[in-house]
Every structure is written in C-alpha cells, then in structure tokens.
Amino acid sequence: MEKELCRRSKSSSLCVVVVWLAVTVQLLLLISSSVVAIAITPPIRKLLEEASSPAPSPSVHPVQLLEDHDEVTIDNGIFRITFQNPEGKVTGIEYNDISNLLEYRNDENNRGYWDVVWYEPGEKDNFDRVPGTNFTIIDNTDDIVEISFSKKWTASDRGRSVPLNVDLRYVVRSGVSGFYAYAIMERENGWPDVDMDQFRIVFKLAQNKFQYMAITDDRQRVMPSAHDRDTGKKLAYIEAVLLTNPSNPELKGEVDDKYQYSIENKDNRVHGWISTNPPVGFWMITPSNEFRMAGPNKQDLTSHAGPITLNMFTSTHYGGKEINTKYRNGEPWKKVFGPFFVYLNSLSDEDPHVTLWEDAKEQMFVEVGSWPYHFPKSEDYLKKEQRGTVSGQLLIDDKYLGDRKFYGRSANVGLAPPGEKGSWQTDSKSYQFWTEADNEGYFVINNVRPGNYSLYGWVPGIMGDYMYEHNITITEGCQIRLRVLVFTPPRNGPTIWEIGYPDRTAGEYFIPDPYPTLMNDLYRNHLDKFRQYGLWEKYSDIYRNNDLVYTVGLSDYSQDWFFAHVTRKIGNEFKATTWQIIFHLDNVITKGNYTLQMALASANNAEVQVRFNDEKSFTGDKSDFDYRHVTTTRLIGEDNAIARHGIHGLYRLFSFEIGSWRLRQGNNTIYLTQTREMDPFKGVMYDYVRLEGPPKP
C-alpha cells in the first residue's frame, strides 16, 4: 500500500506524510475493531459457555471412535454422531441432552445423507442417496478423528448407480461443537455419458424440536411442519402450498414454498434451525464457495420446511440445463466438495433466537478466517501453502460517461475455467474463486487452487461482462499482481434514454403487493417482496385489457415497468403480451445506426420480438409479415426464476442495431412482444434497456 501511495505522490516529502497518515488510520481502525470485538463478541460466547455444559478440554475429553459391524460412532464429549457402516448415512446426533437432533421416526437411510440426481442421455432421472461400501479410518488421535465411507464404481453398476467414485469424509475435533464434512467425487477416463443435475447433502431434523428457521438477519421465522404441507392445498406451482390447517394456527392462510428461502452463493455462508425446548441451534456453515457451481450470483436452496437443512453444491435451479451438467465422451473429472461445518450451539434462555443466531454468525466468521483448513487428510484437498493469489485493479473506460477512466467500484471479480465472457455462470464442473473489489476497484483473490483460469468480472451499474484477454496460470504459492485492468463496456453510441439499473436483477422495477390470501408473512413489508407467491398473476389484474405502455420522460420504471414480462390470462388461456416504449426524437441522425441494448435478468421458455414503429407482430402468416421491421431473441432460457421467486436467473445481453430509416422525428414506439404462451411462467425479466444514438465521430 505504501509503495502505491508513494508512486502517486508528487514528492518524497508528501509521500512520507501520506504513508504516515495511512498507517495511523490503519492502526486506529485496528484498535477500533478490537474494541468493538471486545465489547460485543465475548458476551454472546460467554453467555453460551455459561449456559451450556462446559466445553471439555482435549486432555480430559479425547475424541473417541467406536466401531461395530453396522455402526460407527464418534464422541468428543460435546456431541456424539453415529453413522451406518459402511454406507455412511448419518443416523443420529446426540447433543445437549437431546438424544437425536435428527428425525428418529424416519428410516435410518432418510436422516442425514448425500444425494445425486443423474441420468444417462435419453433415460429417466435417477435419485441416488450416495452410499459407501467401504469404511476406512483416516486419522484417529485424541485430538481428531477423520473417517471415510467410499465406493468404487464398476461397469457392472451401470444403470443402477451413478458412474462416480465416491469418498465421503467426516472430521470431528476435540473441543469443537460440531463436525466437518467433505466429499471427493471422481469420474475415470472412458466412463459412460451421464448428466448429474444435482449434488447436495441433506439433514432432516427432529420435527418435535426444530420449528424456527434462520437464513439471514431479516429472513427468520417460525416454520410449518412437513405434515402441515402434506395437508395443505397445492398451488399452481407444484412446490408451493397454501397452509389450510397447520398445527400452529398463526400460520393458517400463509403460503410455504422452499424456493422462497433461496439465496445467492455469495451470501450463503450460514443458515439453519433453532429448537426452543431446549434452546439448541443446528447450523450449516460454508466457509468457501470455491466448490459451488456457476459463480457468486447463482441462487439455490438453503433450509426449508421439514425441518430440512441443505448444502447445495450443484443444481439446475435458476439456470436450467444451460448450466452444463453433462459429461460426455468418457470425460474424466474429479472435484472436492467442502469441507463445510455443521455447528451445534445451545443456550438456557427463554428467547434464544437472536443469541443463537448471532453466535452462529460469529462461528461462521471464525470458519471463514480459518479457510483453507489445515486438518483434512485427503491429498485432493489443498492447504493454504499449496494455493496462489491474484490481485489487481479494475477501471472502467466508457467515453460516453466521461473522458477519464473511473474505478470499478464493488466489481465482482473471479477466476473460473477459460471460456467466453460470462461463461462462468453456466459452469458446474470446476472450481471458481470470486471476490468483491473495493471502492477504487482494487481486488485480491486468495487461496486459488493451481490450474488454468480466465479472469472475469462485472460491475454494478455497468452493463455487460468483463474478461481479461489472457489466461492466468496459478502455481503452488504464487502471488500474481496484474497490471491495471480496463473494462470497456459494450456501447455503440451516446445514451438517448435508459430504463432500469444494470445490476443483473429486476429488483428495481415495480413489484406488486401479493394477494392477501397467498402471502408469506416473512416478506410482508420486506425488501425481498419479490419472493411472495403468485406475483406473476398480478400482471393480468393490472393490465386487464391493454398491455404495459412506458413513456420515456414521463413514466417511472419503479412504478410503471412490471418486474416480469409474462403472459396475460384471458379466461382460461394465457396469451402473448406486447409492451410499448414511447419516446420522442427531436431529429433523426441519418448517418450511422442506432442501437437498442437489452439486458435480461431472466428468461424462461421465452422469445422477445422487437419492432420499431410497427405494431404488427408475427402470427404465423409469413405472407402478411415484414421481416425488415422485427428482430428477435429467438427461444431462450429455462431458468424458471419467475415461478421460483428469484428476481433473476441467467444474465443475457442483446444488442439490436436499428437503421435510422426505422425511426422518425417526433414520437416513436418500440414494441416488445413476448410471444410464448401456454402457461403463466413463460416470460423474461429485464435488467436494463438503453437506446443509443449513432457513434460520435
């Protein structure tokens, strides 16, 4: 930092002053943060330690491994965890006088397990709870126990089990209130073609204990039971249920849908459940996203009614099959998923929700700060000294926004497999490493596994994707400092008008109030209002007879631009809809072309036809259609973000060139027709729309 400040200073004396000030500020911040930590953190930890059974010291309570012919148990004096032997399913977790945190009424195969959804091309889906066939003790000391449940796939297994070698690992440490888990999955060269659409770990908790779920500071609530869902009314989208006779009468009339509790990878660090009798927390803590798929913006499930806690590693949720889960032509593959930490905490308190949640967050920060862990024994899991670092600064160069380059403030910058701009959002097979730049565009990507990568990025408020022109090779222990990187966003000319804010979501547009009879009370007056059920149907209520018309200069996109371009229900049928953008041109520049930039936040089996000053849309009669006046996205997308309350799925950018002959002096109209019909879930969500004039000389 001192060198950078010196380089920018105009004299050596000024450099000394600047460096002295920088060091002073850093010391003050360090002291301040320490004071805050002293003032806030210990009381929660102290309260938990005083209220719970004292955490045993490693010398008094060593980790103990007990094995018999069909069961393996590990006990560290704080909790006891039991596994099937050799399958590796978790059958019991004893903690704080609760004999089993898992649902004991479930079959032993249906409590804690890893599963995969897979199929060979052209065949139906298979759902496998991944079993082990061999049990191995990896490490067994007073301080730590690591065990493995593994399975080798052979050709005789074809059609009956997913073609993977599986190694499921569990680690219990002395004095630690919880356990670590990770999996090593491998395909050998020449194995059969397969699609693996989902891979995850599942814990089904005791229904008579865990009723309160917490995902973020402002997404917490008492939840319905599995029985409440089973007896409720199924709604138009299959996962959504109206609670008609719940065991807790306060939940009657609410909607429950597991997708209402989805979250982006970058924010998915800790979530779980709280029991109030006795006060106990069960938390899924994920200290790194390197092994998750499709980058930081990929959304996925967390915890949901059951009570169930998940860690989703791969899925086609909010992306569809455009996310590449295909393995073809004997492609070999190997990946380590995890480790993650299942944290257990407890407290003697009448209202433990806030305290247990705050403690779980503190533990999450401890785990994040400890990543990569030093204790896993698998050679496939790389320690800190085996990894590398990449740093740099990202600037934006857009001559139509100013003569000087400006900082890539809060840019999302990441390393992912070599590809094309934006290809990271459909990658499921490889590791990805992402960070957020500071206000001056500086970024550091730590703990990168050795390999070949492209460097990608995008910046809130700036349309389009950045990709560094060279691949980056990470080697063990390397520290790569890149030169200043410059992102020139896609643009052909000056902005005439724009609608929305380019952040890859539709969150800034008009999101209607939910139907009073189809609400989830968690999202009443909530920033995530878009997670309410059935909002797509509101379009037909608001625009009963005519579709949306937006007038540039008069309309307000936060009030007048519906968040999703969906079908309109007329009677019992769903019909295509045509939105209009009306704008005025004082004159038309005939030299050069105009450009319509259209960034989509989501698309689900949709097609957007774009026409300029021509109301007629394609109806199938080619003799009565002028192709000169229309351009189209063609059929795109299957991310299903509209039905799954996602506000975004996969990002797409379309640039439509407009000949000046299509425009006229005075009022002009752009027609956007979403042509696909049949059901209420077909449609798009716009991120940002901009009309640009011809390039300036």
Side-chain angles (χ1 to χ4, degrees):
M1 179 177 181
E2 289 84 358
K3 289 182 180 179
E4 183 69 7
L5 288 170
C6 285
R7 186 176 62 81
R8 293 181 179 184
S9 301
K10 294 183 178 179
S11 68
S12 59
S13 59
L14 179 59
C15 176
V16 172
V17 174
V18 171
V19 170
W20 181 85
L21 286 172
V23 171
T24 303
V25 169
Q26 287 179 341
L27 287 171
L28 287 172
L29 287 172
L30 182 61
I31 293 169
S32 173
S33 63
S34 300
V35 170
V36 171
I38 292 169
I40 295 176
T41 303
I44 292 177
R45 290 288 187 198
K46 187 169 185 293
L47 206 57
L48 287 160
E49 289 167 2
E50 290 175 350
S52 307
S53 301
S57 66
S59 59
V60 177
H61 293 282
V63 186
Q64 296 180 327
L65 174 66
L66 306 173
E67 178 187 358
D68 64 28
H69 68 284
D70 62 356
E71 191 172 87
V72 176
T73 299
I74 306 175
D75 188 336
N76 73 349
I78 301 174
F79 76 100
R80 176 193 295 255
I81 183 169
T82 303
F83 306 87
Q84 288 180 336
N85 184 8
E87 293 85 354
K89 309 285 197 313
V90 182
T91 61
I93 302 173
E94 181 181 344
Y95 173 70
N96 198 46
D97 296 328
I98 301 177
S99 60
N100 198 347
L101 301 182
L102 304 181
E103 181 49 62
Y104 70 92
R105 292 171 294 187
N106 284 7
D107 183 86
E108 287 193 346
N109 291 313
N110 191 27
R111 298 180 188 176
Y113 55 87
W114 305 74
D115 69 39
V116 60
V117 175
W118 67 280
Y119 51 91
E120 293 192 22
E123 301 295 328
K124 65 179 183 179
D125 291 3
N126 296 285
F127 174 82
D128 278 359
R129 291 189 176 121
V130 180
T133 56
N134 300 287
F135 168 66
T136 307
I137 300 171
I138 304 298
D139 198 3
N140 185 11
T141 70
D142 288 351
D143 296 324
I144 189 168
V145 168
E146 179 170 344
I147 58 176
S148 164
F149 300 96
S150 61
K151 178 180 183 297
K152 292 282 288 184
W153 188 87
T154 65
S156 63
D157 296 320
R158 185 166 186 177
R160 296 186 293 110
S161 66
V162 59
L164 281 177
N165 291 334
V166 176
D167 186 357
L168 309 178
R169 300 286 186 100
Y170 293 92
V171 181
V172 177
R173 303 173 69 198
S174 177
V176 176
S177 187
F179 59 93
Y180 299 85
Y182 64 109
I184 303 120
M185 300 296 192
E186 180 184 26
R187 274 177 54 87
E188 295 184 15
N189 188 44
W191 279 9
D193 291 354
V194 69
D195 289 43
M196 292 185 288
D197 286 356
Q198 178 175 280
F199 180 54
R200 63 182 186 172
I201 192 169
V202 182
F203 291 99
K204 296 185 175 179
L205 306 184
Q207 295 185 36
N208 64 338
K209 295 293 183 184
F210 293 95
Q211 285 99 35
Y212 190 88
M213 187 179 76
I215 298 170
T216 66
D217 286 339
D218 62 352
R219 296 174 70 187
Q220 305 182 17
R221 64 163 298 160
V222 174
M223 291 291 289
S225 68
H227 180 72
D228 294 339
R229 284 184 51 86
D230 291 341
T231 59
K233 178 184 177 183
K234 291 187 177 180
L235 299 175
Y237 199 73
I238 189 170
E239 285 95 349
V241 170
L242 180 66
L243 304 174
T244 55
N245 189 29
S247 53
N248 182 346
E250 293 184 4
L251 303 182
K252 185 174 183 179
E254 287 197 54
V255 169
D256 180 73
D257 182 345
K258 64 183 179 181
Y259 291 102
Q260 292 178 317
Y261 307 108
S262 296
I263 198 169
E264 291 184 341
N265 283 344
K266 64 182 176 61
D267 300 319
N268 189 357
R269 295 294 196 187
V270 56
H271 61 87
W273 291 83
I274 291 172
S275 163
T276 55
N277 184 26
V280 165
F282 183 101
W283 307 102
M284 180 66 70
I285 295 178
T286 308
S288 171
N289 285 317
E290 68 180 50
F291 43 82
R292 285 183 170 143
M293 67 186 308
N297 308 112
K298 169 72 164 69
Q299 296 182 91
D300 225 320
L301 301 172
T302 54
S303 293
H304 60 80
I308 292 173
T309 286
L310 306 171
N311 203 331
M312 303 291 300
F313 307 116
T314 66
S315 83
T316 55
H317 301 148
Y318 302 99
K321 284 298 292 179
E322 286 180 79
I323 294 177
N324 182 17
T325 59
K326 300 176 181 179
Y327 297 80
R328 297 290 186 269
N329 303 316
E331 173 186 1
W333 170 81
K334 193 174 192 180
K335 189 173 181 180
V336 180
F337 295 93
F340 52 88
F341 183 46
V342 176
Y343 178 53
L344 311 175
N345 60 359
S346 60
L347 176 69
S348 295
D349 187 359
E350 292 182 0
D351 185 13
H353 300 152
V354 173
T355 306
L356 289 174
W357 167 249
E358 290 298 324
D359 176 69
K361 286 198 302 179
E362 289 177 18
Q363 187 64 41
M364 176 268 290
F365 287 119
V366 170
E367 301 302 324
V368 170
S370 301
W371 183 270
Y373 297 127
H374 67 276
F375 52 82
K377 295 298 183 182
S378 171
E379 294 181 355
D380 295 304
Y381 176 74
L382 302 186
K383 310 301 192 294
K384 191 175 186 68
E385 63 273 14
Q386 297 174 285
R387 298 167 177 244
T389 298
V390 176
S391 62
Q393 184 187 27
L394 184 65
L395 302 181
I396 312 299
D397 184 14
D398 186 335
K399 67 180 181 181
Y400 292 103
L401 294 180
D403 294 332
R404 301 180 63 182
K405 299 178 181 67
F406 56 94
Y407 299 133
R409 178 175 299 177
S410 300
N412 290 266
V413 184
L415 295 170
E420 302 175 347
K421 288 182 179 180
S423 61
W424 52 268
Q425 67 175 343
T426 57
D427 170 67
S428 72
K429 300 177 182 178
S430 305
Y431 300 95
Q432 297 195 25
F433 303 86
W434 287 83
T435 192
E436 183 176 311
D438 66 14
N439 286 339
E440 295 185 353
Y442 286 101
F443 63 88
V444 180
I445 306 174
N446 290 315
N447 301 316
V448 184
R449 293 174 62 102
N452 254 349
Y453 300 91
S454 288
L455 187 138
Y456 303 92
W458 68 273
V459 184
I462 303 296
M463 183 182 71
D465 279 285
Y466 171 76
M467 179 176 163
Y468 185 46
E469 59 265 31
H470 304 293
N471 286 347
I472 296 174
T473 300
I474 301 296
T475 57
E476 184 175 301
C478 74
Q479 295 186 12
I480 298 174
R481 181 169 180 83
L482 300 172
R483 59 182 173 79
V484 173
L485 308 178
V486 179
F487 173 27
T488 303
R491 180 189 283 277
N492 293 327
T495 299
I496 296 176
W497 52 256
E498 58 187 349
I499 300 171
Y501 177 78
D503 63 355
R504 297 175 178 245
T505 84
E508 69 269 34
Y509 298 122
F510 177 67
I511 299 172
D513 291 330
Y515 293 102
T517 56
L518 294 173
M519 288 188 67
N520 182 324
D521 262 5
L522 174 62
Y523 299 111
R524 188 190 297 269
N525 302 319
H526 196 282
L527 288 176
D528 285 359
K529 180 182 179 181
F530 60 84
R531 297 194 185 276
Q532 294 281 14
Y533 178 83
L535 298 184
W536 56 83
E537 294 184 4
K538 283 282 189 169
Y539 182 82
S540 298
D541 292 343
I542 298 171
Y543 301 97
R544 290 183 179 276
N545 301 311
N546 298 292
D547 286 320
L548 182 150
V549 178
Y550 186 93
T551 302
V552 174
L554 295 178
S555 300
D556 176 354
Y557 63 73
S558 69
Q559 298 298 317
D560 302 315
W561 188 274
F562 199 75
F563 79 99
H565 191 166
V566 291
T567 54
R568 177 143 49 96
K569 189 174 184 180
I570 301 176
N572 294 321
E573 297 182 336
F574 297 94
K575 297 296 185 181
T577 52
T578 297
W579 291 10
Q580 299 179 44
I581 304 172
I582 298 174
F583 61 98
H584 183 87
L585 292 177
D586 290 333
N587 58 78
V588 176
I589 301 172
T590 57
K591 188 175 181 180
N593 292 319
Y594 290 72
T595 304
L596 181 70
Q597 305 279 14
M598 187 172 75
L600 299 182
S602 167
N604 188 56
N605 294 308
E607 178 201 24
V608 179
Q609 286 184 0
V610 184
R611 300 182 312 284
F612 308 91
N613 293 318
D614 182 6
E615 187 171 2
K616 187 184 299 179
S617 63
F618 180 52
T619 61
D621 184 359
K622 295 182 179 180
S623 64
D624 189 34
F625 188 69
D626 189 348
Y627 284 97
R628 297 177 305 160
H629 293 267
V630 67
T631 189
T632 175
T633 62
R634 302 188 183 278
L635 180 63
I636 51 172
E638 49 183 346
D639 60 38
N640 223 4
I642 294 171
R644 289 175 169 169
H645 335 289
I647 211 61
H648 73 84
L650 295 182
Y651 178 80
R652 291 173 170 80
L653 176 61
F654 295 90
S655 296
F656 299 120
E657 191 174 275
I658 312 169
S660 58
W661 60 270
R662 294 188 181 187
L663 303 174
R664 56 194 176 215
Q665 185 176 359
N667 283 338
N668 292 262
T669 303
I670 294 176
Y671 298 91
L672 304 175
T673 300
Q674 198 298 101
T675 65
R676 304 296 165 145
E677 301 175 330
M678 301 301 293
D679 66 55
F681 309 121
K682 288 181 169 58
V684 301
M685 287 188 270
Y686 298 96
D687 168 41
Y688 177 68
V689 182
R690 181 172 77 206
L691 181 66
E692 299 170 358
K696 289 183 177 179

